[in-house]
Amino acid sequence: GQQLNQSPQSMFIQEGEDVSMNCTSSSIFNTWLWYKQDPGEGPVLLIALYKAGELTSNGRLTAQFGITRKDSFLNISASIPSDVGIYFCARSSYDKVIFGPGTSLSVIP
Amino acid sequence: GAVVSQHPSWVICKSGTSVKIECRSLDFQATTMFWYRQFPKQSLMLMATSNEGSKATYEQGVEKDKFLINHASLTLSTLTVTSAHPEDSSFYICSARQRGGGAMNTEAFFGQGTRLTVV
């Protein structure tokens, strides 16, 4: 089964608001990946994290690799309607990439 | 860069027939390719991992004789759903990992997915 947990499960926010979502793991991993999936499409890689404590930005997105290597968060600033979708964290190891259950984001114009 | 193409985007087949889905890395060599299945409103569930030139490794509960995976080259992997049944209807997605050293070889890039409907 899945070893990753994501919270919240879903979010409804107003356009322009900032968003924060979290991913936790019961195990330590060396690489965290954050993806966004639009309906009927494959996931698109947003940010990759490789070091504990690492903070990485990609436009309005910021993600951090927790110090304990068991968690990560993703922030989206000044949300816009096209941010709607499902955000997945994933842990990457030598032999596989496993996904969390996802956070569904809805943006109200 | 790092483009993965999956074909077909959707397919409808009759129960009992077989369907082949192709996954290609267009601008990089993929040492490893992954196949996932996703049911509505659920996450991606890893089915199997394939390395070029070797047999695929299947996750627990995935029938290897039903879901045949071939990774014949560094740019192509195929998934064949044999004797398909309506319960096999799902969204199948492949991903590919770049060949080479460094941090980049832990990132996986995804195809656009294939919607399979078995009637």
Side-chain angles (χ1 to χ4, degrees):
Chain A
Q2 295 290 346
Q3 295 176 295
L4 300 176
N5 295 300
Q6 285 187 249
S7 63
Q9 185 176 8
S10 61
M11 304 177 72
F12 292 83
I13 62 170
Q14 292 280 356
E15 182 178 358
E17 289 184 351
D18 297 342
V19 174
S20 184
M21 58 189 78
N22 194 47
C23 182
T24 59
S25 167
S26 57
S27 305
I28 292 173
F29 297 117
N30 293 323
T31 301
W32 286 92
L33 307 173
W34 282 96
Y35 289 88
K36 176 177 183 273
Q37 185 180 30
D38 292 328
E41 301 286 335
V44 174
L45 181 64
L46 300 174
I47 292 179
L49 301 164
Y50 305 105
K51 297 179 182 178
E54 178 181 358
L55 184 70
T56 298
S57 294
N58 178 8
R60 293 179 295 108
L61 279 62
T62 302
Q64 185 160 28
F65 194 157
I67 292 293
T68 64
R69 291 162 61 192
K70 289 186 177 182
D71 66 324
S72 176
F73 70 75
L74 175 70
N75 287 344
I76 305 173
S77 62
S79 58
I80 59 178
S82 60
D83 290 334
V84 166
I86 301 179
Y87 291 80
F88 292 102
C89 64
R91 63 96 165 162
S92 178
S93 59
Y94 175 77
D95 59 340
K96 59 183 68 174
V97 178
I98 300 296
F99 278 70
T103 293
S104 175
L105 177 64
S106 299
V107 179
I108 304 169
Chain B
V3 178
V4 177
S5 177
Q6 197 171 329
H7 178 81
S9 297
W10 60 271
V11 57
I12 302 173
C13 70
K14 290 185 177 181
S15 186
T17 61
S18 295
V19 174
K20 180 184 284 189
I21 302 170
E22 291 187 348
C23 180
R24 295 180 184 273
S25 56
L26 298 185
D27 53 359
F28 66 97
Q29 291 184 323
T31 312
T32 305
M33 287 187 172
F34 306 97
W35 287 95
Y36 296 81
R37 181 168 49 184
Q38 186 177 33
F39 292 107
K41 298 188 183 301
Q42 293 189 18
S43 185
L44 285 75
M45 299 300 296
L46 181 64
M47 300 174 65
T49 301
S50 73
N51 293 295
E52 184 263 341
S54 62
K55 291 184 178 180
T57 301
Y58 290 81
E59 294 298 298
Q60 190 174 7
V62 178
E63 301 175 58
K64 62 180 181 180
D65 294 330
K66 181 169 185 61
F67 299 100
L68 301 179
I69 292 173
N70 183 278
H71 193 164
S73 76
L74 285 171
T75 59
L76 174 64
S77 177
T78 61
L79 168 68
T80 301
V81 183
T82 63
S83 187
H85 290 281
E87 56 264 31
D88 296 326
S89 299
S90 187
F91 193 52
Y92 292 86
I93 314 172
C94 73
S95 74
R97 178 179 278 172
Q98 284 185 311
R99 179 180 185 157
M104 282 293 289
N105 72 343
T106 59
E107 298 175 4
F109 301 92
F110 284 79
Q112 68 269 42
T114 297
R115 173 73 59 193
L116 170 63
T117 302
V118 185
V119 298

